[in-house]
Amino acid sequence: MKISKKDKIDNIKNNLSYGIKSRNETKKSFSERTGITRTTLYNILDGKVDRIQTQTIEKIADFFGTTCSVIEEGCLESIEYKNSLISTDGNKNPLCIPVLTEVELIDNLNGYIGELIVSYPSTYFFSEGTNIIGLKITKKIHNDYDIGSLLVIERFKRDHIDDLVILCPHAEIKIVPASYVLREQDILIGSIREERVHA
């Protein structure tokens, strides 16, 4: 979509203002580091220009590690925010996690994620973290979680918010509240991070 000359200048001004602030630069340090005169810089930021030279836009883009089209037509703040996200709206890669049934999980309790990912089906989980697996519920193990649902579990991690998945004596998987006191014979599998109903 073509944008007007005025909108381009406004975008350059806004991106320049955000970029200087987000990198903890001063106008003086930015001017010295880019070679853009302080007069030009102040005129752009104060909206006192009706034309900005291509080489000035190139210097701004180079300094912020982006393209001239982003500086002229995009929103640098929005792009950098989305690039920092792990979600369908972001540019960070989601985690690929193996999906196991209760029996498969018991058989591979201490298996490495790299081994499990090539041996079992997988899905994606939008988060940072390590040692995360999916548990496909095939039998009733708790009233709050339905058969067919997928539980995303951070293994061997306990917090005081999320429900816990534990292995009880007689090879039985149970889901217990975060406040549950582990008994000597219980094995902590991990904390539930997400439930996908009938995944």
Side-chain angles (χ1 to χ4, degrees), residues 157-180:
K157 177 112 183 210
R158 177 179 191 155
D159 60 36
H160 298 286
I161 300 168
D162 300 311
D163 284 346
L164 304 175
V165 179
I166 61 171
L167 180 61
C168 297
H170 313 299
E172 180 186 7
I173 289 183
K174 283 192 175 178
I175 297 173
V176 296
S179 59
Y180 179 81

Side-chain angles (χ1 to χ4, degrees), residues 99-129:
V99 176
L100 295 84
T101 65
E102 295 93 337
V103 172
E104 292 166 339
L105 179 56
I106 292 167
D107 289 344
N108 295 278
L109 203 54
N110 294 309
Y112 289 105
I113 298 298
E115 295 168 346
L116 299 175
I117 207 77
V118 296
S119 303
Y120 295 96
S122 62
T123 189
Y124 295 96
F125 180 56
F126 289 90
S127 178
E128 292 181 341

Side-chain angles (χ1 to χ4, degrees), residues 26-173:
T26 63
K27 292 171 189 167
K28 181 180 182 221
S29 68
F30 181 81
S31 171
E32 290 170 354
R33 294 181 67 189
T34 60
I36 298 170
T37 66
R38 277 199 263 177
T39 303
T40 300
L41 182 61
Y42 280 93
N43 285 339
I44 293 170
L45 292 172
D46 292 340
K48 294 179 179 175
V49 294
D50 57 5
R51 184 177 158 296
I52 302 172
Q53 293 182 351
T54 303
Q55 65 186 20
T56 301
I57 298 166
E58 287 172 352
K59 288 177 182 178
I60 295 168
D62 286 345
F63 185 82
F64 297 133
T66 190
T67 64
C68 292
S69 64
V70 167
I71 297 299
E72 291 178 313
E73 300 172 13
C75 176
L76 186 62
E77 182 175 12
S78 175
I79 290 168
E80 289 185 347
Y81 174 72
K82 285 185 177 182
N83 284 344
S84 72
L85 294 179
I86 301 179
S87 74
T88 53
D89 293 328
N91 281 332
K92 279 193 177 178
N93 291 340
L95 299 174
C96 184
I97 61 171
V99 176
L100 295 84
T101 65
E102 295 93 337
V103 172
E104 292 166 339
L105 179 56
I106 292 167
D107 289 344
N108 295 278
L109 203 54
N110 294 309
Y112 289 105
I113 298 298
E115 295 168 346
L116 299 175
I117 207 77
V118 296
S119 303
Y120 295 96
S122 62
T123 189
Y124 295 96
F125 180 56
F126 289 90
S127 178
E128 292 181 341
T130 58
N131 221 351
I132 298 177
I133 61 167
L135 171 62
K136 184 81 166 186
I137 300 176
T138 62
K139 60 183 180 183
K140 194 73 171 166
I141 56 177
H142 193 278
N143 288 335
D144 292 340
Y145 301 99
D146 297 329
I147 293 172
S149 294
L150 175 74
L151 302 180
V152 176
I153 301 167
E154 187 170 359
R155 291 196 305 174
F156 316 126
K157 177 112 183 210
R158 177 179 191 155
D159 60 36
H160 298 286
I161 300 168
D162 300 311
D163 284 346
L164 304 175
V165 179
I166 61 171
L167 180 61
C168 297
H170 313 299
E172 180 186 7
I173 289 183

